[in-house]
Structures are given as C-alpha cells and as structure tokens.
Amino acid sequence: MTNDKPTDYAALIRAANQTVGEPPEWLTTGKHVYSPEYGVGEVMALLGKRLIVKFVEEVNPTQFGDWEEANADYHAKIKSQEKEQPQEETAEY
C-alpha cells in the first residue's frame, strides 16, 4: 500500500470533503492499530474515507483508500490495538 509517487494533495482535499459514516473511536488520530500484514501502527489522519497510518516497520505512511472497507475486513487489514475490557456477566441463581 505504499509507493514512491508524490502525494496528491487535491485528492486528499476531495477525500476530506466526502460525507462518510462516523469512524469508530479507535480510528481517531494518535490511536494505535494492528495489522497482521503491517504490524503495529499509529493513525496519522482520517480524511474523508482515506485512512493514513504510520506503521513501525514501514518507512512511509500507509494509506487505505476506504477506512470502512479496511474496518470491514479488519482481520486482514486493521483493528484496534487497545485491549477490550471484559464484560462482567451477572447471573441469578
């Protein structure tokens, strides 16, 4: 997902102006994510549907064209790095 092409700033502006669904809390800037393909990374930006993540093992930031698709396929792409809190179950006997 990385390349040596120059950044297309016009495309980034168009992406930022798109109306998209609300991203999950763990996809906000500064949050850590994990990808089986890329390892651990930090969300740099979410511009419209475009998700930009700086993975530790990658020199350049990685861009996902559609964060919703990446999230839907999160087992192969990205997921929250935060540990989920266990839900307390209550049972009546």
Side-chain angles (χ1 to χ4, degrees):
M1 293 250 173
T2 60
N3 58 38
D4 295 328
K5 295 179 184 176
T7 302
D8 183 351
Y9 292 103
L12 290 175
I13 291 169
R14 284 192 303 276
N17 289 329
Q18 289 178 342
T19 303
V20 295
E22 191 69 27
E25 174 85 21
W26 57 269
L27 275 184
T28 55
T29 302
K31 296 285 186 168
H32 289 93
V33 294
Y34 173 76
S35 164
E37 185 175 345
Y38 299 104
V40 175
E42 182 178 340
V43 176
M44 294 181 66
L46 192 59
L47 303 170
K49 288 188 172 190
R50 184 174 302 274
L51 171 64
I52 303 171
V53 180
K54 174 61 177 101
F55 289 102
V56 174
E57 299 295 323
E58 299 288 325
V59 175
N60 295 316
T62 301
Q63 296 187 31
F64 297 91
D66 186 339
W67 69 263
E68 292 173 319
E69 284 181 18
N71 187 37
D73 190 24
Y74 77 96
H75 290 291
K77 301 276 185 182
I78 57 172
K79 60 183 171 181
S80 174
Q81 186 63 11
E82 296 177 8
K83 296 192 187 304
E84 293 183 14
Q85 298 297 322
Q87 297 284 335
E88 286 190 38
E89 293 183 334
T90 57
E92 292 184 32
Y93 294 99

